[in-house]
Amino acid sequence: MSFEYYYITVVGLVIFIVVIVIALVMNERYFRLIKSYLSQTKEAEAHGGGQALSGEVEVLMCPRCGFTKTIPFRLGDYVGKVTNEACPNDGERLVVHAIYYSGPSSQGL
Amino acid sequence: MDLLAVLQQVLLQTGLGTSQSNAWLIFLSNIIWIAMIFLFFFQDYVMIWRYAYTVGSFLTNLNRLITNNVNLVINHVDQLLRSNGSPKNVNKDAIEKTIKDLMDFVVIEPVNAEPTGLMRTLKLLVTTYNDRLEDSIRSLLPSIERTLVQNVVDAVDGLRELNFIYKVIMHYYRLSNKYRNPYLMMQVYMLLPILREYVDALNGAISTFLKGQPVGDAAGPLTVYRFMRGCSSVEEIGHNVKDTYIGLCNFEGRRVYVVKARGPGGTVGNLDDGIAYLVERVSVKPRFIITVDAALKLEGEKTGSIAEGVGVAMGGIGVERFNIERIASKYGIPLYAVLIKMSMPEALSAMPKEVEGAVNDAVERVKRVIREGVGEGEEVILVGVGNTGGVAQ
């Protein structure tokens, strides 16, 4: 087979594959999937393999000495609630100081 | 002789190939070029197919998401009833019917050709809508404490919003197919990224409200809560404004009147009525009215960044903002605003850590503004704007 036939075939195939790859990358769904995968990888690296407390957490604080303790969020708790847990320093009952979400954003549609 | 061999013979006969080995390569390259020419001339149709496919898949996912959230709310109501000692056989069909009726509930905008009293009418409609929603949920949860009922009300409100988006997008999708009009589909397609973000935010909000967690929008009430912790004394002022907390706080010799929605149930309160009560009934003469609220950030702005300014920091349809501005202009009270920046999903979903950290900065800013602008013995009103779900006082 002559060089021209090889050339036209290879160029045609390369263009076709490139177009398909661009279409896949530009498609929003794949783009979002790739992006979320990369961000999750970065998050995991930043947190040293998920050792830090992440997700929905609440911070308990002693109103007297300022002692704080971070625990996973418990259903029914709210900011300002006086819990039954006592402060290890002065025995004062701990108050829910903050409730927040720490971690990568959840995926939707 | 099979079909491939016949095709090869045809190619050879028509001169497209000079030998059997390269005939297939030439045939393949011709197919590729024909496909590319086809795509070039018919790219509009290809794009329309893609638009229709993307919008259709968005609608399918949105429908599934609504169904999941309806089930989530039904199960939550069921659990609340069971935990309260209700009979074992809870009528789930009745719950579902009520929720679906509320999802289709409409608020008709008032006539605005004659604008006199328009804000009063809007306020009446908003109040009626909120009362109706709460009464309906209350009928499902007759003996449950109000805080939990308010959380379900907020979740159903989110469901109603999702359902509305679904119906509007479905309307344009069907209309485009009915009249074979690609431009309607194109417009919806272009709006999809924004809609998708909003839908994701609402989706996160529903489960967050049901759990009674603070959302990002609770940054305003949380700022007021933390400010009050720094006061030497706090006392609640008795009043008849619904779902609103009004307190008097002594901050370094200044009399700070704090106004926020009454938590920890999910509500935005009636902050304008609270301020009107203080200024017109209690005869408070504030040096400032300071409003703290979550504000939508622009792309490029950092979540949790804080901006200060003048005016009323308050979103929504503008009824409450109008009423506060009217009171302030009537009595000549300067308006000061502190904004905590966040995106739409962050405002509606569980409060992110960055926003929680920014609340401490906002408290410090409020303290600085009060120290600089309000003398000892003078009065100031501090308003925490936003949904106070998960934040008490």
Side-chain angles (χ1 to χ4, degrees):
Chain A
M1 193 163 58
S2 66
F3 173 75
E4 285 82 3
Y5 292 133
Y6 275 121
Y7 179 78
I8 198 166
T9 309
V10 170
V11 168
L13 277 172
V14 166
I15 290 171
F16 190 73
I17 290 164
V18 166
V19 167
I20 293 292
V21 168
I22 289 171
L24 286 174
V25 172
M26 293 297 285
N27 186 299
E28 204 174 344
R29 176 177 290 187
Y30 291 100
F31 176 73
R32 280 157 62 90
L33 281 174
I34 293 165
K35 195 180 161 192
S36 70
Y37 172 74
L38 289 175
S39 66
Q40 279 170 12
T41 310
K42 277 184 190 170
E43 191 79 29
E45 284 170 0
H47 288 285
Q51 286 175 357
L53 186 60
S54 63
E56 293 161 353
V57 297
E58 62 182 65
V59 180
L60 307 180
M61 184 186 260
C62 173
R64 192 182 290 169
C65 69
F67 166 81
T68 57
K69 180 183 176 186
T70 305
I71 57 168
F73 172 70
R74 297 177 299 199
L75 211 61
D77 280 3
Y78 55 85
V79 175
K81 183 181 179 182
V82 181
T83 64
N84 291 324
E85 291 184 47
C87 173
N89 298 333
D90 50 28
E92 188 84 3
R93 287 170 75 189
L94 299 176
V95 178
V96 179
H97 177 70
I99 298 171
Y100 59 83
Y101 179 80
S102 171
S105 60
S106 59
Q107 289 300 302
L109 291 180
Chain B
M1 191 180 285
D2 61 0
L3 191 65
L4 288 173
V6 172
L7 187 59
Q8 193 177 39
Q9 284 304 313
V10 170
L11 288 170
L12 288 168
Q13 289 297 318
T14 52
L16 285 171
T18 51
S19 68
Q20 286 192 356
S21 60
N22 62 12
W24 287 114
L25 289 173
I26 294 167
F27 176 68
L28 186 65
S29 67
N30 284 333
I31 290 293
I32 289 167
W33 285 113
I34 289 165
M36 288 177 74
I37 290 163
F38 176 83
L39 285 173
F40 179 78
F41 284 107
F42 296 95
Q43 59 179 324
D44 287 349
Y45 291 97
V46 173
M47 284 173 81
I48 291 164
W49 292 336
R50 184 163 177 251
Y51 295 151
Y53 171 76
T54 311
V55 175
S57 79
F58 173 79
L59 282 168
T60 310
N61 288 336
L62 182 54
N63 188 27
R64 196 173 58 223
L65 200 133
I66 291 170
T67 310
N68 290 344
N69 279 309
V70 168
N71 289 333
L72 194 71
V73 174
I74 291 169
N75 290 334
H76 185 80
V77 170
D78 186 29
Q79 276 181 2
L80 284 176
L81 287 171
R82 283 172 196 273
S83 63
N84 200 46
S86 290
K88 282 185 179 176
N89 295 325
V90 176
N91 190 352
K92 282 197 175 183
D93 291 339
I95 299 171
E96 188 173 353
K97 188 180 180 309
T98 308
I99 288 168
K100 291 208 164 160
D101 285 349
L102 289 174
M103 281 165 66
D104 287 328
F105 196 73
V106 289
V107 180
I108 301 161
E109 284 185 25
V111 176
N112 56 11
E114 216 295 66
T116 312
L118 186 63
M119 286 298 161
R120 275 199 302 276
T121 317
L122 272 171
K123 175 91 180 170
L124 175 72
L125 288 174
V126 170
T127 311
T128 312
Y129 166 69
N130 289 336
D131 289 348
R132 168 83 179 97
L133 208 58
E134 192 175 329
D135 289 346
S136 301
I137 301 296
R138 164 68 60 203
S139 68
L140 293 176
L141 301 164
S143 51
I144 305 291
E145 66 174 287
R146 185 149 183 263
T147 304
L148 299 171
V149 173
Q150 283 175 316
N151 292 339
V152 178
V153 167
D154 278 351
V156 172
D157 200 23
L159 266 178
R160 183 177 157 272
E161 193 79 15
L162 276 179
N163 191 46
F164 180 72
I165 293 170
Y166 177 79
K167 286 203 285 191
V168 172
I169 301 297
M170 180 58 92
H171 170 73
Y172 284 107
Y173 179 75
R174 291 259 170 107
L175 214 59
S176 171
N177 285 333
K178 185 178 173 185
Y179 296 118
R180 305 203 182 284
N181 182 346
Y183 299 103
L184 286 171
M185 193 77 83
M186 219 180 270
Q187 288 179 60
V188 175
Y189 177 82
M190 286 171 186
L191 283 172
L192 275 192
I194 298 164
L195 285 170
R196 196 173 277 131
E197 191 175 84
Y198 188 47
V199 165
D200 285 349
L202 283 171
N203 182 36
I206 291 168
S207 56
T208 308
F209 282 135
L210 288 177
K211 282 189 275 188
Q213 266 185 294
V215 291
D217 189 42
L222 187 60
T223 304
V224 168
Y225 168 82
R226 288 195 182 160
F227 177 84
M228 284 160 66
R229 300 282 88 75
C231 293
S232 55
S233 66
V234 181
E235 59 177 286
E236 187 172 354
I237 295 174
H239 59 86
N240 58 356
V241 183
K242 196 183 175 192
D243 293 339
T244 308
Y245 170 83
I246 304 176
L248 174 58
C249 164
N250 185 354
F251 175 70
E252 298 176 359
R254 286 104 171 152
R255 290 164 64 81
V256 183
Y257 290 89
V258 290
V259 183
K260 70 182 275 293
R262 184 177 287 280
T267 177
V268 292
N270 292 285
L271 306 177
D272 52 342
D273 293 340
I275 292 169
Y277 177 82
L278 282 175
V279 176
E280 294 180 343
R281 300 277 294 278
V282 186
S283 301
V284 173
K285 296 197 169 28
R287 189 70 189 76
F288 286 119
I289 293 176
I290 305 170
T291 45
V292 186
D293 191 16
L296 289 184
K297 71 180 179 83
L298 299 171
E299 291 299 326
E301 283 187 305
K302 201 178 157 195
T303 297
S305 58
I306 296 173
E308 292 178 36
V310 290
V312 180
M314 191 176 274
I317 55 173
V319 178
E320 293 199 318
R321 195 167 76 220
F322 171 81
N323 288 336
I324 296 171
E325 284 167 354
R326 194 174 54 82
I327 294 164
S329 58
K330 185 178 174 185
Y331 294 95
I333 308 164
L335 294 163
Y336 202 83
V338 177
L339 304 168
I340 302 170
K341 300 289 185 74
M342 63 192 78
S343 65
M344 173 79 83
E346 286 163 341
L348 290 175
S349 303
M351 182 180 283
K353 193 178 180 182
E354 296 83 8
V355 173
E356 192 274 330
V359 167
N360 295 330
D361 294 342
V363 172
E364 291 308 314
R365 292 215 187 200
V366 169
K367 284 180 179 174
R368 180 180 54 75
V369 170
I370 292 174
R371 282 189 193 113
E372 288 173 358
V374 184
E376 284 190 28
E378 287 186 321
E379 297 174 326
V380 62
I381 296 176
L382 173 63
V383 188
V385 182
N387 192 313
T388 196
V391 180
Q393 46 278 329

